[in-house]
PDB file of all heavy atoms in Angstrom:
ATOM      1  N   ALA J  85      39.653 205.737  13.973  1.00 98.00           N
ATOM      2  CA  ALA J  85      39.456 205.023  15.250  1.00 98.00           C
ATOM      3  C   ALA J  85      40.695 204.443  15.921  1.00 98.00           C
ATOM      4  O   ALA J  85      41.685 204.241  15.220  1.00 98.00           O
ATOM      5  CB  ALA J  85      38.367 203.960  14.965  1.00 98.00           C
ATOM      6  N   VAL J  86      40.503 204.185  17.132  1.00 98.00           N
ATOM      7  CA  VAL J  86      41.552 203.518  18.063  1.00 98.00           C
ATOM      8  C   VAL J  86      40.956 202.394  18.610  1.00 98.00           C
ATOM      9  O   VAL J  86      39.925 202.561  19.364  1.00 98.00           O
ATOM     10  CB  VAL J  86      42.152 204.396  19.064  1.00 98.00           C
ATOM     11  CG1 VAL J  86      43.236 203.787  19.821  1.00 98.00           C
ATOM     12  CG2 VAL J  86      42.775 205.678  18.346  1.00 98.00           C
ATOM     13  N   LYS J  87      41.482 201.158  18.463  1.00 97.00           N
ATOM     14  CA  LYS J  87      40.995 199.962  19.184  1.00 97.00           C
ATOM     15  C   LYS J  87      42.054 199.566  20.314  1.00 97.00           C
ATOM     16  O   LYS J  87      43.341 199.591  19.960  1.00 97.00           O
ATOM     17  CB  LYS J  87      40.657 198.866  18.402  1.00 97.00           C
ATOM     18  CG  LYS J  87      40.210 197.652  18.988  1.00 97.00           C
ATOM     19  CD  LYS J  87      39.987 196.480  17.982  1.00 97.00           C
ATOM     20  CE  LYS J  87      39.690 195.178  18.688  1.00 97.00           C
ATOM     21  NZ  LYS J  87      39.399 194.034  17.855  1.00 97.00           N
ATOM     22  N   THR J  88      41.617 199.179  21.412  1.00 97.00           N
ATOM     23  CA  THR J  88      42.549 198.604  22.393  1.00 97.00           C
ATOM     24  C   THR J  88      42.035 197.204  22.956  1.00 97.00           C
ATOM     25  O   THR J  88      40.742 196.949  22.925  1.00 97.00           O
ATOM     26  CB  THR J  88      42.646 199.539  23.761  1.00 97.00           C
ATOM     27  OG1 THR J  88      41.357 199.581  24.299  1.00 97.00           O
ATOM     28  CG2 THR J  88      43.066 200.835  23.293  1.00 97.00           C
ATOM     29  N   SER J  89      42.929 196.410  23.247  1.00 94.00           N
ATOM     30  CA  SER J  89      42.508 195.049  23.592  1.00 94.00           C
ATOM     31  C   SER J  89      43.540 194.614  24.755  1.00 94.00           C
ATOM     32  O   SER J  89      44.883 194.675  24.609  1.00 94.00           O
ATOM     33  CB  SER J  89      42.634 193.999  22.463  1.00 94.00           C
ATOM     34  OG  SER J  89      42.470 192.872  22.724  1.00 94.00           O
ATOM     35  N   TYR J  90      42.939 194.088  25.798  1.00 96.00           N
ATOM     36  CA  TYR J  90      43.845 193.626  26.976  1.00 96.00           C
ATOM     37  C   TYR J  90      43.241 192.392  27.512  1.00 96.00           C
ATOM     38  O   TYR J  90      42.159 192.364  27.869  1.00 96.00           O
ATOM     39  CB  TYR J  90      43.832 194.770  28.031  1.00 96.00           C
ATOM     40  CG  TYR J  90      44.453 194.379  29.351  1.00 96.00           C
ATOM     41  CD1 TYR J  90      45.902 193.830  29.413  1.00 96.00           C
ATOM     42  CD2 TYR J  90      43.735 194.234  30.567  1.00 96.00           C
ATOM     43  CE1 TYR J  90      46.484 193.525  30.537  1.00 96.00           C
ATOM     44  CE2 TYR J  90      44.272 193.781  31.632  1.00 96.00           C
ATOM     45  CZ  TYR J  90      45.665 193.457  31.774  1.00 96.00           C
ATOM     46  OH  TYR J  90      46.312 193.036  32.886  1.00 96.00           O
ATOM     47  N   LYS J  91      44.117 191.273  27.632  1.00 94.00           N
ATOM     48  CA  LYS J  91      43.664 189.997  28.134  1.00 94.00           C
ATOM     49  C   LYS J  91      44.664 189.717  29.315  1.00 94.00           C
ATOM     50  O   LYS J  91      45.882 189.645  29.097  1.00 94.00           O
ATOM     51  CB  LYS J  91      43.471 189.087  27.112  1.00 94.00           C
ATOM     52  CG  LYS J  91      42.910 187.686  27.478  1.00 94.00           C
ATOM     53  CD  LYS J  91      42.552 186.746  26.209  1.00 94.00           C
ATOM     54  CE  LYS J  91      41.628 185.643  26.683  1.00 94.00           C
ATOM     55  NZ  LYS J  91      41.153 184.799  25.570  1.00 94.00           N
ATOM     56  N   HIS J  92      44.111 189.314  30.420  1.00 96.00           N
ATOM     57  CA  HIS J  92      44.815 188.945  31.580  1.00 96.00           C
ATOM     58  C   HIS J  92      44.522 187.385  31.970  1.00 96.00           C
ATOM     59  O   HIS J  92      43.341 187.037  31.880  1.00 96.00           O
ATOM     60  CB  HIS J  92      44.536 189.860  32.678  1.00 96.00           C
ATOM     61  CG  HIS J  92      45.326 189.568  33.963  1.00 96.00           C
ATOM     62  ND1 HIS J  92      44.998 188.751  34.915  1.00 96.00           N
ATOM     63  CD2 HIS J  92      46.600 190.159  34.311  1.00 96.00           C
ATOM     64  CE1 HIS J  92      45.904 188.700  35.943  1.00 96.00           C
ATOM     65  NE2 HIS J  92      46.904 189.628  35.615  1.00 96.00           N
ATOM     66  N   GLY J  93      45.491 186.708  32.503  1.00 92.00           N
ATOM     67  CA  GLY J  93      45.267 185.377  32.819  1.00 92.00           C
ATOM     68  C   GLY J  93      45.414 184.274  31.889  1.00 92.00           C
ATOM     69  O   GLY J  93      44.717 183.311  31.843  1.00 92.00           O
ATOM     70  N   LEU J  94      46.344 184.554  30.867  1.00 88.00           N
ATOM     71  CA  LEU J  94      46.493 183.611  29.779  1.00 88.00           C
ATOM     72  C   LEU J  94      47.120 182.258  30.285  1.00 88.00           C
ATOM     73  O   LEU J  94      47.038 181.350  29.653  1.00 88.00           O
ATOM     74  CB  LEU J  94      47.539 184.189  28.794  1.00 88.00           C
ATOM     75  CG  LEU J  94      46.825 185.388  28.051  1.00 88.00           C
ATOM     76  CD1 LEU J  94      47.870 185.954  27.030  1.00 88.00           C
ATOM     77  CD2 LEU J  94      45.582 185.087  27.328  1.00 88.00           C
ATOM     78  N   ASP J  95      47.665 182.390  31.479  1.00 88.00           N
ATOM     79  CA  ASP J  95      48.153 181.248  32.171  1.00 88.00           C
ATOM     80  C   ASP J  95      47.204 180.458  33.202  1.00 88.00           C
ATOM     81  O   ASP J  95      47.546 179.484  33.732  1.00 88.00           O
ATOM     82  CB  ASP J  95      49.398 181.415  33.131  1.00 88.00           C
ATOM     83  CG  ASP J  95      49.103 182.627  34.128  1.00 88.00           C
ATOM     84  OD1 ASP J  95      48.127 183.332  33.838  1.00 88.00           O
ATOM     85  OD2 ASP J  95      49.908 182.814  35.008  1.00 88.00           O
ATOM     86  N   LYS J  96      45.934 180.822  32.977  1.00 87.00           N
ATOM     87  CA  LYS J  96      44.844 180.213  33.776  1.00 87.00           C
ATOM     88  C   LYS J  96      43.700 179.793  32.942  1.00 87.00           C
ATOM     89  O   LYS J  96      43.765 179.895  31.708  1.00 87.00           O
ATOM     90  CB  LYS J  96      44.372 181.311  34.698  1.00 87.00           C
ATOM     91  CG  LYS J  96      45.401 181.848  35.768  1.00 87.00           C
ATOM     92  CD  LYS J  96      44.890 182.897  36.639  1.00 87.00           C
ATOM     93  CE  LYS J  96      45.932 183.511  37.492  1.00 87.00           C
ATOM     94  NZ  LYS J  96      45.392 184.615  38.344  1.00 87.00           N
ATOM     95  N   GLY J  97      42.770 179.164  33.423  1.00 81.00           N
ATOM     96  CA  GLY J  97      41.616 178.637  32.752  1.00 81.00           C
ATOM     97  C   GLY J  97      40.688 179.773  32.347  1.00 81.00           C
ATOM     98  O   GLY J  97      40.834 180.912  32.777  1.00 81.00           O
ATOM     99  N   ARG J  98      39.760 179.430  31.450  1.00 76.00           N
ATOM    100  CA  ARG J  98      38.909 180.429  30.789  1.00 76.00           C
ATOM    101  C   ARG J  98      38.101 181.230  31.947  1.00 76.00           C
ATOM    102  O   ARG J  98      37.950 182.505  31.738  1.00 76.00           O
ATOM    103  CB  ARG J  98      37.936 179.817  29.928  1.00 76.00           C
ATOM    104  CG  ARG J  98      37.086 180.761  29.036  1.00 76.00           C
ATOM    105  CD  ARG J  98      35.983 179.915  28.249  1.00 76.00           C
ATOM    106  NE  ARG J  98      36.736 179.130  27.305  1.00 76.00           N
ATOM    107  CZ  ARG J  98      35.955 178.277  26.480  1.00 76.00           C
ATOM    108  NH1 ARG J  98      34.720 178.279  26.520  1.00 76.00           N
ATOM    109  NH2 ARG J  98      36.641 177.511  25.601  1.00 76.00           N
ATOM    110  N   ALA J  99      37.670 180.547  32.984  1.00 82.00           N
ATOM    111  CA  ALA J  99      36.892 181.388  33.935  1.00 82.00           C
ATOM    112  C   ALA J  99      37.625 182.248  34.656  1.00 82.00           C
ATOM    113  O   ALA J  99      36.951 183.231  35.261  1.00 82.00           O
ATOM    114  CB  ALA J  99      36.215 180.209  34.909  1.00 82.00           C
ATOM    115  N   GLU J 100      38.927 182.219  34.881  1.00 90.00           N
ATOM    116  CA  GLU J 100      39.720 183.117  35.552  1.00 90.00           C
ATOM    117  C   GLU J 100      40.405 184.270  34.814  1.00 90.00           C
ATOM    118  O   GLU J 100      41.062 184.965  35.236  1.00 90.00           O
ATOM    119  CB  GLU J 100      40.871 182.349  36.272  1.00 90.00           C
ATOM    120  CG  GLU J 100      40.279 181.243  37.254  1.00 90.00           C
ATOM    121  CD  GLU J 100      41.545 180.478  37.750  1.00 90.00           C
ATOM    122  OE1 GLU J 100      41.881 179.399  37.157  1.00 90.00           O
ATOM    123  OE2 GLU J 100      42.023 180.834  38.962  1.00 90.00           O
ATOM    124  N   GLN J 101      40.048 184.213  33.468  1.00 92.00           N
ATOM    125  CA  GLN J 101      40.677 185.231  32.534  1.00 92.00           C
ATOM    126  C   GLN J 101      39.856 186.540  32.711  1.00 92.00           C
ATOM    127  O   GLN J 101      38.553 186.440  32.759  1.00 92.00           O
ATOM    128  CB  GLN J 101      40.836 184.689  31.201  1.00 92.00           C
ATOM    129  CG  GLN J 101      41.808 183.629  31.072  1.00 92.00           C
ATOM    130  CD  GLN J 101      41.995 182.906  29.616  1.00 92.00           C
ATOM    131  OE1 GLN J 101      41.307 183.427  28.699  1.00 92.00           O
ATOM    132  NE2 GLN J 101      42.804 182.073  29.423  1.00 92.00           N
ATOM    133  N   HIS J 102      40.532 187.590  32.216  1.00 94.00           N
ATOM    134  CA  HIS J 102      39.779 188.854  32.170  1.00 94.00           C
ATOM    135  C   HIS J 102      40.126 189.456  30.775  1.00 94.00           C
ATOM    136  O   HIS J 102      41.281 189.349  30.291  1.00 94.00           O
ATOM    137  CB  HIS J 102      40.315 189.830  33.166  1.00 94.00           C
ATOM    138  CG  HIS J 102      40.011 189.522  34.609  1.00 94.00           C
ATOM    139  ND1 HIS J 102      38.816 189.649  35.197  1.00 94.00           N
ATOM    140  CD2 HIS J 102      40.773 188.845  35.644  1.00 94.00           C
ATOM    141  CE1 HIS J 102      38.870 189.159  36.440  1.00 94.00           C
ATOM    142  NE2 HIS J 102      39.945 188.679  36.700  1.00 94.00           N
ATOM    143  N   TYR J 103      39.092 189.956  30.099  1.00 93.00           N
ATOM    144  CA  TYR J 103      39.388 190.624  28.818  1.00 93.00           C
ATOM    145  C   TYR J 103      38.588 191.739  28.601  1.00 93.00           C
ATOM    146  O   TYR J 103      37.346 191.831  28.902  1.00 93.00           O
ATOM    147  CB  TYR J 103      38.836 189.572  27.769  1.00 93.00           C
ATOM    148  CG  TYR J 103      38.959 189.961  26.390  1.00 93.00           C
ATOM    149  CD1 TYR J 103      40.237 190.356  25.806  1.00 93.00           C
ATOM    150  CD2 TYR J 103      37.948 190.029  25.395  1.00 93.00           C
ATOM    151  CE1 TYR J 103      40.417 190.772  24.540  1.00 93.00           C
ATOM    152  CE2 TYR J 103      37.949 190.438  24.109  1.00 93.00           C
ATOM    153  CZ  TYR J 103      39.250 190.763  23.692  1.00 93.00           C
ATOM    154  OH  TYR J 103      39.350 191.260  22.339  1.00 93.00           O
TER     155      TYR J 103
END
Side-chain angles (χ1 to χ4, degrees):
V86 179
K87 178 183 176 182
T88 63
S89 176
Y90 171 63
K91 192 166 189 176
H92 181 276
L94 298 177
D95 54 340
K96 301 177 181 178
R98 183 184 301 176
E100 299 177 271
Q101 294 180 355
H102 298 278
Y103 178 59

